[in-house]
Amino acid sequence: MKLPQLDSETIDRMIEMAWEDRTPFEAIEHQFGLSEPQVIALMRREMQPSSFRMWCQRVSGRKTKHLERRSFEAGRFKSQNQKG
C-alpha cells in the first residue's frame, strides 16, 4: 500500500491517535488524509511485530474506533475545570 511521505513528528502523532481508544479512524483521516487501511499499514510498518499484533487485538471490533458504530451522541466528557 502506498503511503505518503510523512515526517517523524506526524507519524508519532498518528500512532498516538491510533492507540487512543476514543479517537476514531475518521478523525485520523480528517486530520492527516489517511484511510483506515493506510493507518493499519503505517502501524504495521512503524511498530515492532508484537506491538502491532497487540494493537490489532486492541482495536479489533472496538466501537469507539468507528464513528458510525459509536453509541453515544455527546462525544467526550469535558470537565468544568478544563480551559477552552
Coordinates of all heavy atoms in Angstrom, one line a residue:
M1 N 0.8 -1.2 0.0 CA 0.0 0.0 0.0 C 0.9 1.2 0.0 O 1.8 1.3 0.7 CB -0.9 0.0 1.2 CG -1.7 1.3 1.4 SD -3.0 1.1 2.6 CE -4.1 0.0 1.7
K2 N 0.6 2.2 -0.8 CA 1.3 3.4 -1.0 C 0.9 4.4 0.1 O -0.2 4.7 0.3 CB 1.0 4.0 -2.3 CG 1.9 5.2 -2.7 CD 3.1 4.8 -3.5 CE 3.7 6.0 -4.0 NZ 5.0 5.7 -4.5
L3 N 1.9 4.8 0.9 CA 1.8 5.8 2.0 C 2.5 7.1 1.6 O 3.5 7.0 1.0 CB 2.3 5.3 3.3 CG 1.6 4.0 3.9 CD1 2.4 3.6 5.1 CD2 0.2 4.4 4.3
P4 N 1.9 8.2 1.9 CA 2.5 9.5 1.6 C 3.8 9.7 2.5 O 3.9 9.1 3.5 CB 1.4 10.5 1.9 CG 0.5 9.9 2.9 CD 0.6 8.4 2.6
Q5 N 4.6 10.6 2.0 CA 5.8 10.9 2.8 C 5.4 11.7 4.0 O 4.7 12.7 3.9 CB 6.8 11.7 2.0 CG 7.5 10.9 0.9 CD 8.5 9.9 1.4 OE1 8.9 10.0 2.6 NE2 8.8 8.9 0.6
L6 N 5.7 11.3 5.2 CA 5.4 11.9 6.5 C 6.6 12.1 7.3 O 7.5 11.3 7.4 CB 4.3 11.1 7.2 CG 3.0 10.8 6.5 CD1 2.3 9.7 7.2 CD2 2.2 12.0 6.3
D7 N 6.6 13.3 8.0 CA 7.8 13.5 8.9 C 7.6 12.7 10.2 O 6.5 12.2 10.5 CB 8.0 15.0 9.2 CG 6.8 15.6 9.9 OD1 6.2 15.0 10.7 OD2 6.5 16.8 9.5
S8 N 8.6 12.5 10.9 CA 8.6 11.7 12.1 C 7.6 12.2 13.2 O 7.0 11.4 13.9 CB 10.0 11.5 12.7 OG 10.5 12.7 13.2
E9 N 7.5 13.5 13.3 CA 6.5 14.1 14.3 C 5.1 13.7 13.9 O 4.3 13.4 14.8 CB 6.7 15.6 14.3 CG 5.9 16.3 15.4 CD 6.2 17.8 15.4 OE1 7.4 18.1 15.4 OE2 5.2 18.5 15.5
T10 N 4.8 13.8 12.6 CA 3.4 13.4 12.1 C 3.1 12.0 12.4 O 2.1 11.6 12.8 CB 3.2 13.8 10.7 OG1 3.5 15.2 10.5 CG2 1.9 13.5 10.2
I11 N 4.1 11.1 12.1 CA 4.0 9.7 12.3 C 3.7 9.4 13.7 O 2.8 8.6 14.1 CB 5.2 8.9 11.7 CG1 5.2 9.0 10.2 CG2 5.2 7.5 12.2 CD1 6.5 8.5 9.6
D12 N 4.5 10.0 14.6 CA 4.3 9.8 16.0 C 3.0 10.2 16.5 O 2.3 9.5 17.3 CB 5.4 10.6 16.8 CG 6.8 10.0 16.7 OD1 6.9 8.9 16.2 OD2 7.8 10.7 17.1
R13 N 2.5 11.3 16.0 CA 1.1 11.8 16.4 C 0.0 10.8 15.9 O -0.9 10.5 16.6 CB 0.9 13.2 15.9 CG -0.5 13.7 16.2 CD -0.7 13.9 17.8 NE -2.0 14.3 18.1 CZ -2.8 13.8 19.0 NH1 -2.4 12.8 19.7 NH2 -4.0 14.2 19.2
M14 N 0.2 10.3 14.7 CA -0.8 9.4 14.1 C -0.8 8.1 14.9 O -1.9 7.5 15.2 CB -0.5 9.1 12.7 CG -0.8 10.3 11.8 SD -0.4 10.0 10.1 CE -1.4 8.7 9.7
I15 N 0.4 7.6 15.3 CA 0.4 6.4 16.1 C -0.2 6.6 17.5 O -1.0 5.8 17.9 CB 1.9 5.9 16.3 CG1 2.4 5.4 14.9 CG2 2.0 4.8 17.3 CD1 3.9 5.1 14.9
E16 N 0.0 7.7 18.1 CA -0.6 8.1 19.3 C -2.1 8.1 19.2 O -2.8 7.6 20.0 CB -0.1 9.4 19.8 CG -0.6 9.9 21.1 CD -0.1 11.3 21.5 OE1 1.0 11.7 21.0 OE2 -0.7 11.9 22.3
M17 N -2.6 8.7 18.2 CA -4.1 8.8 17.9 C -4.7 7.4 17.7 O -5.7 7.1 18.1 CB -4.4 9.7 16.8 CG -4.1 11.2 17.1 SD -4.4 12.3 15.7 CE -6.2 12.3 15.6
A18 N -3.9 6.6 16.9 CA -4.4 5.2 16.6 C -4.5 4.4 17.9 O -5.4 3.5 18.0 CB -3.5 4.6 15.6
W19 N -3.6 4.6 18.9 CA -3.6 3.8 20.1 C -4.7 4.3 21.0 O -5.2 3.5 21.9 CB -2.3 4.0 20.9 CG -1.3 2.9 20.5 CD1 -0.2 3.0 19.7 CD2 -1.3 1.6 21.0 NE1 0.4 1.8 19.7 CE2 -0.2 0.9 20.5 CE3 -2.1 0.8 21.9 CZ2 0.1 -0.4 20.7 CZ3 -1.8 -0.5 22.2 CH2 -0.7 -1.1 21.6
E20 N -5.2 5.6 20.9 CA -6.2 6.1 21.8 C -7.5 5.4 21.5 O -8.0 5.3 20.4 CB -6.4 7.6 21.6 CG -5.2 8.4 22.1 CD -5.3 9.8 21.7 OE1 -6.2 10.2 21.0 OE2 -4.4 10.6 22.2
D21 N -8.2 4.9 22.6 CA -9.5 4.2 22.4 C -10.6 5.1 21.8 O -11.3 4.6 20.9 CB -10.0 3.7 23.7 CG -9.1 2.6 24.2 OD1 -8.4 2.0 23.5 OD2 -9.2 2.3 25.4
R22 N -10.7 6.3 22.1 CA -11.8 7.2 21.7 C -11.5 8.0 20.4 O -12.3 8.8 20.0 CB -12.2 8.1 22.8 CG -12.8 7.3 24.0 CD -13.7 8.1 24.8 NE -14.3 7.3 25.9 CZ -15.5 6.9 25.8 NH1 -16.3 7.1 24.8 NH2 -16.0 6.1 26.8
T23 N -10.3 7.8 19.8 CA -10.0 8.5 18.6 C -10.4 7.6 17.4 O -9.8 6.6 17.2 CB -8.6 8.9 18.5 OG1 -8.2 9.7 19.6 CG2 -8.3 9.7 17.2
P24 N -11.5 8.0 16.7 CA -11.9 7.1 15.6 C -11.0 7.3 14.4 O -10.3 8.3 14.2 CB -13.3 7.7 15.2 CG -13.3 9.1 15.7 CD -12.4 9.1 16.9
F25 N -11.0 6.3 13.5 CA -10.1 6.3 12.3 C -10.6 7.5 11.4 O -9.7 8.1 10.7 CB -10.3 5.0 11.5 CG -9.6 3.9 12.2 CD1 -10.3 2.8 12.7 CD2 -8.2 3.8 12.2 CE1 -9.6 1.7 13.3 CE2 -7.5 2.8 12.8 CZ -8.2 1.7 13.3
E26 N -11.8 7.9 11.5 CA -12.3 9.0 10.7 C -11.6 10.3 11.1 O -11.4 11.2 10.3 CB -13.8 9.1 10.8 CG -14.6 8.0 10.1 CD -14.8 6.8 11.0 OE1 -14.3 6.7 12.1 OE2 -15.5 5.8 10.6
A27 N -11.3 10.5 12.4 CA -10.6 11.7 12.9 C -9.2 11.7 12.3 O -8.7 12.8 11.9 CB -10.6 11.7 14.4
I28 N -8.6 10.6 12.3 CA -7.2 10.5 11.7 C -7.2 10.8 10.2 O -6.4 11.6 9.7 CB -6.6 9.1 12.0 CG1 -6.4 8.9 13.5 CG2 -5.2 9.0 11.3 CD1 -6.1 7.4 13.9
E29 N -8.2 10.3 9.5 CA -8.4 10.5 8.1 C -8.6 12.0 7.9 O -8.1 12.6 7.0 CB -9.5 9.7 7.5 CG -9.6 9.9 6.0 CD -10.6 8.9 5.4 OE1 -11.3 8.2 6.1 OE2 -10.6 8.8 4.1
H30 N -9.5 12.6 8.7 CA -9.8 14.0 8.5 C -8.6 14.9 8.7 O -8.3 15.9 8.0 CB -10.9 14.4 9.5 CG -11.3 15.9 9.4 ND1 -12.0 16.4 8.4 CD2 -11.0 16.9 10.3 CE1 -12.2 17.7 8.6 NE2 -11.6 18.0 9.7
Q31 N -7.8 14.6 9.8 CA -6.6 15.4 10.1 C -5.4 15.2 9.2 O -4.7 16.1 8.8 CB -6.2 15.2 11.6 CG -5.2 16.1 12.1 CD -5.0 16.0 13.6 OE1 -5.8 15.4 14.3 NE2 -3.9 16.7 14.0
F32 N -5.2 13.9 8.8 CA -4.0 13.6 8.1 C -4.2 13.0 6.7 O -3.3 12.9 5.9 CB -3.2 12.5 8.9 CG -2.7 13.0 10.2 CD1 -3.4 12.6 11.4 CD2 -1.7 13.9 10.4 CE1 -3.0 13.0 12.6 CE2 -1.3 14.4 11.6 CZ -1.9 13.9 12.7
G33 N -5.5 12.7 6.3 CA -5.8 12.3 5.0 C -5.5 10.8 4.7 O -5.4 10.4 3.6
L34 N -5.3 10.0 5.8 CA -5.0 8.6 5.6 C -6.2 7.8 6.0 O -6.8 8.0 7.0 CB -3.8 8.1 6.5 CG -2.5 8.1 5.8 CD1 -2.0 9.5 5.5 CD2 -1.5 7.4 6.7
S35 N -6.6 6.8 5.1 CA -7.8 6.0 5.4 C -7.4 4.9 6.4 O -6.2 4.8 6.8 CB -8.2 5.3 4.1 OG -7.2 4.4 3.6
E36 N -8.4 4.2 6.9 CA -8.2 3.2 7.9 C -7.2 2.1 7.4 O -6.2 1.8 8.1 CB -9.5 2.5 8.3 CG -9.3 1.4 9.3 CD -10.6 0.7 9.7 OE1 -11.7 1.3 9.4 OE2 -10.5 -0.3 10.4
P37 N -7.3 1.6 6.2 CA -6.3 0.6 5.7 C -4.9 1.2 5.6 O -3.9 0.6 5.9 CB -6.7 0.2 4.3 CG -8.2 0.5 4.3 CD -8.4 1.7 5.2
Q38 N -4.8 2.5 5.3 CA -3.5 3.2 5.3 C -2.9 3.3 6.7 O -1.7 3.2 6.9 CB -3.5 4.5 4.6 CG -3.7 4.5 3.1 CD -3.9 5.8 2.5 OE1 -4.7 6.6 3.0 NE2 -3.2 6.1 1.4
V39 N -3.8 3.6 7.7 CA -3.3 3.7 9.1 C -2.8 2.4 9.6 O -1.8 2.3 10.2 CB -4.4 4.3 10.0 CG1 -4.0 4.2 11.5 CG2 -4.8 5.7 9.7
I40 N -3.5 1.3 9.2 CA -3.1 0.0 9.6 C -1.7 -0.3 9.0 O -0.9 -0.9 9.6 CB -4.2 -1.0 9.2 CG1 -5.4 -0.8 10.0 CG2 -3.7 -2.5 9.3 CD1 -6.7 -1.6 9.6
A41 N -1.6 0.0 7.7 CA -0.3 -0.2 7.0 C 0.8 0.6 7.7 O 2.0 0.1 7.8 CB -0.4 0.1 5.5
L42 N 0.5 1.8 8.1 CA 1.5 2.6 8.7 C 1.9 2.0 10.1 O 3.1 1.9 10.4 CB 1.0 4.0 9.0 CG 1.9 5.0 9.8 CD1 3.0 5.5 8.8 CD2 1.1 6.1 10.4
M43 N 0.9 1.6 10.8 CA 1.2 0.9 12.1 C 2.0 -0.3 11.9 O 3.0 -0.6 12.7 CB -0.1 0.6 12.8 CG -1.0 1.8 13.2 SD -0.3 2.9 14.4 CE -0.8 2.0 15.9
R44 N 1.7 -1.1 10.9 CA 2.5 -2.3 10.7 C 3.9 -2.0 10.3 O 4.9 -2.7 10.8 CB 1.9 -3.1 9.5 CG 2.5 -4.4 9.2 CD 2.0 -5.1 7.9 NE 0.6 -5.3 8.0 CZ -0.1 -6.3 8.5 NH1 0.6 -7.3 9.0 NH2 -1.4 -6.4 8.5
R45 N 4.1 -0.9 9.5 CA 5.5 -0.5 9.1 C 6.3 0.0 10.3 O 7.5 -0.2 10.4 CB 5.4 0.5 8.0 CG 6.7 0.9 7.4 CD 6.6 2.0 6.4 NE 6.4 3.3 7.1 CZ 6.1 4.4 6.5 NH1 5.9 4.4 5.2 NH2 5.9 5.5 7.2
E46 N 5.7 0.8 11.2 CA 6.4 1.6 12.2 C 6.6 0.8 13.5 O 7.4 1.2 14.3 CB 5.7 2.9 12.4 CG 5.6 3.8 11.2 CD 7.0 4.3 10.8 OE1 7.9 4.5 11.7 OE2 7.3 4.5 9.6
M47 N 5.8 -0.2 13.7 CA 5.8 -0.8 15.0 C 6.5 -2.2 15.0 O 6.6 -2.8 13.9 CB 4.4 -1.0 15.6 CG 3.6 0.2 15.8 SD 1.9 0.0 16.2 CE 2.1 -0.5 17.9
Q48 N 7.0 -2.6 16.1 CA 7.5 -4.0 16.2 C 6.4 -5.0 16.0 O 5.2 -4.7 16.3 CB 8.2 -4.2 17.5 CG 9.4 -3.4 17.8 CD 10.0 -3.7 19.1 OE1 9.5 -4.5 19.9 NE2 11.1 -3.0 19.4
P49 N 6.6 -6.1 15.4 CA 5.5 -7.1 15.1 C 4.7 -7.4 16.4 O 3.4 -7.5 16.3 CB 6.3 -8.3 14.6 CG 7.5 -7.8 14.0 CD 7.9 -6.6 14.9
S50 N 5.3 -7.6 17.5 CA 4.5 -7.9 18.7 C 3.6 -6.8 19.1 O 2.5 -7.0 19.5 CB 5.4 -8.4 19.9 OG 6.3 -7.3 20.2
S51 N 4.1 -5.6 19.0 CA 3.3 -4.4 19.4 C 2.2 -4.2 18.4 O 1.1 -3.8 18.7 CB 4.2 -3.1 19.4 OG 5.2 -3.2 20.4
F52 N 2.4 -4.5 17.1 CA 1.4 -4.3 16.1 C 0.3 -5.4 16.3 O -0.9 -5.0 16.3 CB 2.0 -4.5 14.7 CG 0.9 -4.5 13.6 CD1 0.3 -3.4 13.2 CD2 0.5 -5.7 13.0 CE1 -0.7 -3.3 12.2 CE2 -0.4 -5.7 12.0 CZ -1.0 -4.5 11.6
R53 N 0.6 -6.6 16.7 CA -0.4 -7.6 17.0 C -1.2 -7.2 18.2 O -2.4 -7.3 18.2 CB 0.3 -9.0 17.2 CG 0.7 -9.6 15.9 CD 1.1 -11.1 16.2 NE 2.2 -11.2 17.1 CZ 3.5 -11.2 16.8 NH1 3.9 -11.0 15.5 NH2 4.4 -11.4 17.7
M54 N -0.5 -6.6 19.2 CA -1.3 -6.2 20.4 C -2.2 -5.0 20.0 O -3.4 -5.0 20.5 CB -0.3 -5.7 21.5 CG -0.9 -5.3 22.8 SD 0.2 -4.7 24.1 CE 1.8 -4.9 23.5
W55 N -1.8 -4.1 19.2 CA -2.7 -3.0 18.8 C -3.8 -3.6 18.0 O -5.0 -3.1 18.2 CB -1.9 -2.0 17.9 CG -2.7 -0.9 17.4 CD1 -3.2 0.1 18.1 CD2 -3.2 -0.8 16.0 NE1 -3.9 0.9 17.2 CE2 -3.9 0.4 16.0 CE3 -3.0 -1.6 14.9 CZ2 -4.6 0.8 14.8 CZ3 -3.6 -1.1 13.7 CH2 -4.4 0.0 13.7
C56 N -3.6 -4.5 17.1 CA -4.7 -5.1 16.3 C -5.7 -5.7 17.2 O -7.0 -5.6 17.0 CB -4.2 -6.1 15.3 SG -3.4 -5.4 13.9
Q57 N -5.3 -6.5 18.2 CA -6.2 -7.1 19.1 C -7.0 -6.0 19.9 O -8.2 -6.2 20.2 CB -5.5 -8.0 20.1 CG -5.0 -9.2 19.5 CD -4.2 -10.1 20.5 OE1 -3.7 -9.6 21.5 NE2 -3.9 -11.3 20.1
R58 N -6.3 -4.9 20.2 CA -7.0 -3.9 21.0 C -8.1 -3.2 20.2 O -9.1 -2.9 20.7 CB -5.9 -2.9 21.4 CG -6.4 -1.7 22.3 CD -5.2 -0.8 22.7 NE -5.6 0.3 23.4 CZ -5.8 0.4 24.7 NH1 -5.6 -0.7 25.4 NH2 -6.2 1.5 25.3
V59 N -7.8 -2.9 18.9 CA -8.8 -2.1 18.1 C -9.8 -3.0 17.4 O -10.8 -2.5 16.9 CB -8.1 -1.1 17.2 CG1 -7.3 -0.1 17.9 CG2 -7.3 -1.8 16.1
S60 N -9.6 -4.2 17.3 CA -10.4 -5.1 16.6 C -11.8 -5.2 17.3 O -12.0 -5.5 18.4 CB -9.9 -6.6 16.6 OG -10.7 -7.4 15.9
G61 N -12.8 -4.7 16.5 CA -14.2 -4.7 17.0 C -14.5 -3.6 18.0 O -15.6 -3.5 18.5
R62 N -13.6 -2.7 18.2 CA -13.8 -1.6 19.2 C -14.7 -0.6 18.6 O -14.4 0.0 17.6 CB -12.5 -1.0 19.6 CG -12.6 0.0 20.8 CD -11.3 0.4 21.3 NE -10.6 -0.7 21.9 CZ -10.6 -1.0 23.2 NH1 -11.4 -0.3 24.0 NH2 -10.0 -1.9 23.7
K63 N -15.9 -0.4 19.1 CA -16.9 0.5 18.6 C -16.4 2.0 18.5 O -16.8 2.7 17.7 CB -18.2 0.4 19.4 CG -18.9 -0.9 19.2 CD -20.2 -0.9 20.0 CE -20.8 -2.3 19.8 NZ -22.0 -2.4 20.6
T64 N -15.6 2.4 19.5 CA -15.2 3.8 19.6 C -14.2 4.1 18.5 O -14.0 5.3 18.3 CB -14.5 4.1 20.9 OG1 -13.5 3.2 21.1 CG2 -15.5 4.0 22.0
K65 N -13.7 3.2 17.7 CA -12.7 3.5 16.7 C -13.4 3.8 15.3 O -12.8 4.1 14.4 CB -11.7 2.3 16.5 CG -10.7 2.1 17.6 CD -10.0 3.4 18.0 CE -8.8 3.6 17.1 NZ -8.0 4.8 17.5
H66 N -14.7 3.7 15.3 CA -15.5 3.9 14.1 C -16.7 4.8 14.4 O -17.5 4.4 15.3 CB -16.0 2.6 13.4 CG -14.9 1.7 13.0 ND1 -14.3 0.8 13.9 CD2 -14.2 1.6 11.9 CE1 -13.4 0.2 13.3 NE2 -13.2 0.7 12.1
L67 N -16.8 6.0 13.8 CA -17.9 6.9 14.2 C -19.3 6.3 14.0 O -20.1 6.5 14.9 CB -17.8 8.2 13.3 CG -16.7 9.1 13.7 CD1 -16.6 10.3 12.7 CD2 -16.8 9.6 15.1
E68 N -19.5 5.6 12.9 CA -20.9 5.0 12.7 C -21.3 3.9 13.7 O -22.4 3.6 13.9 CB -21.0 4.5 11.3 CG -20.2 3.3 10.9 CD -18.8 3.7 10.4 OE1 -18.5 4.8 10.3 OE2 -18.1 2.7 10.1
R69 N -20.3 3.4 14.4 CA -20.6 2.3 15.4 C -20.6 2.8 16.8 O -20.9 2.1 17.7 CB -19.5 1.2 15.3 CG -19.6 0.5 13.9 CD -18.5 -0.5 13.8 NE -18.6 -1.6 14.7 CZ -17.7 -2.5 15.0 NH1 -16.6 -2.4 14.3 NH2 -17.8 -3.4 15.9
R70 N -20.4 4.1 17.0 CA -20.4 4.7 18.4 C -21.8 4.8 18.8 O -22.7 5.2 18.1 CB -19.7 6.1 18.4 CG -18.3 6.0 18.1 CD -17.7 7.4 18.1 NE -16.7 7.5 19.2 CZ -15.9 8.5 19.3 NH1 -15.9 9.5 18.5 NH2 -15.0 8.5 20.3
S71 N -22.0 4.6 20.1 CA -23.4 4.6 20.7 C -23.7 5.9 21.4 O -24.9 6.1 21.7 CB -23.6 3.4 21.6 OG -22.7 3.5 22.7
F72 N -22.7 6.8 21.6 CA -23.0 8.0 22.3 C -23.0 9.2 21.4 O -22.4 9.2 20.4 CB -22.0 8.2 23.5 CG -20.6 8.3 23.1 CD1 -20.0 9.5 22.7 CD2 -19.8 7.1 23.0 CE1 -18.7 9.6 22.3 CE2 -18.5 7.2 22.6 CZ -17.9 8.4 22.3
E73 N -23.8 10.2 21.7 CA -24.0 11.3 20.8 C -23.2 12.5 21.3 O -22.7 13.3 20.5 CB -25.5 11.8 20.9 CG -26.5 10.7 20.3 CD -26.3 10.5 18.8 OE1 -26.0 11.5 18.1 OE2 -26.4 9.4 18.4
A74 N -23.0 12.7 22.6 CA -22.4 13.9 23.1 C -20.9 14.0 22.8 O -20.3 15.1 22.7 CB -22.7 14.1 24.6
G75 N -20.2 12.9 22.7 CA -18.8 12.9 22.5 C -18.1 12.7 23.8 O -18.5 12.1 24.7
R76 N -16.9 13.4 23.9 CA -16.1 13.3 25.1 C -16.6 14.1 26.2 O -17.2 15.2 26.0 CB -14.7 13.7 24.7 CG -14.0 12.8 23.8 CD -12.6 13.3 23.6 NE -11.7 12.1 23.5 CZ -10.5 12.2 23.4 NH1 -9.8 13.3 23.5 NH2 -9.8 11.1 23.3
F77 N -16.3 13.7 27.4 CA -16.6 14.4 28.6 C -15.7 15.6 28.7 O -14.5 15.5 28.5 CB -16.5 13.5 29.9 CG -16.5 14.3 31.2 CD1 -17.7 14.7 31.6 CD2 -15.4 14.6 31.9 CE1 -17.8 15.4 32.8 CE2 -15.4 15.3 33.0 CZ -16.7 15.7 33.5
K78 N -16.2 16.7 29.1 CA -15.3 17.9 29.3 C -15.5 18.4 30.7 O -16.6 18.8 31.1 CB -15.6 19.0 28.3 CG -14.7 20.2 28.4 CD -15.0 21.2 27.3 CE -14.1 22.4 27.4 NZ -14.4 23.4 26.4
S79 N -14.5 18.4 31.5 CA -14.5 18.9 32.9 C -14.8 20.4 32.9 O -14.3 21.1 32.1 CB -13.2 18.6 33.6 OG -13.2 19.2 34.9
Q80 N -15.5 20.9 33.9 CA -15.7 22.3 34.1 C -14.4 23.0 34.4 O -14.3 24.2 34.2 CB -16.7 22.6 35.2 CG -18.1 22.1 34.9 CD -19.1 22.3 36.0 OE1 -18.6 22.4 37.2 NE2 -20.3 22.3 35.7
N81 N -13.4 22.3 34.9 CA -12.1 22.9 35.2 C -11.2 23.0 34.0 O -10.1 23.6 34.0 CB -11.3 22.1 36.3 CG -12.1 22.0 37.6 OD1 -12.8 22.9 37.9 ND2 -11.9 20.9 38.3
Q82 N -11.6 22.4 32.9 CA -10.8 22.4 31.7 C -10.9 23.7 30.9 O -12.0 24.2 30.8 CB -11.3 21.2 30.8 CG -10.4 21.0 29.6 CD -10.9 19.8 28.8 OE1 -11.7 19.0 29.3 NE2 -10.4 19.6 27.6
K83 N -9.8 24.2 30.5 CA -9.8 25.5 29.8 C -10.3 25.3 28.3 O -10.1 24.2 27.8 CB -8.5 26.1 29.7 CG -8.0 26.6 31.1 CD -6.7 27.2 31.0 CE -6.2 27.7 32.4 NZ -4.9 28.4 32.3
G84 N -10.9 26.3 27.7 CA -11.3 26.2 26.3 C -12.6 25.8 26.1 O -13.4 25.2 26.1

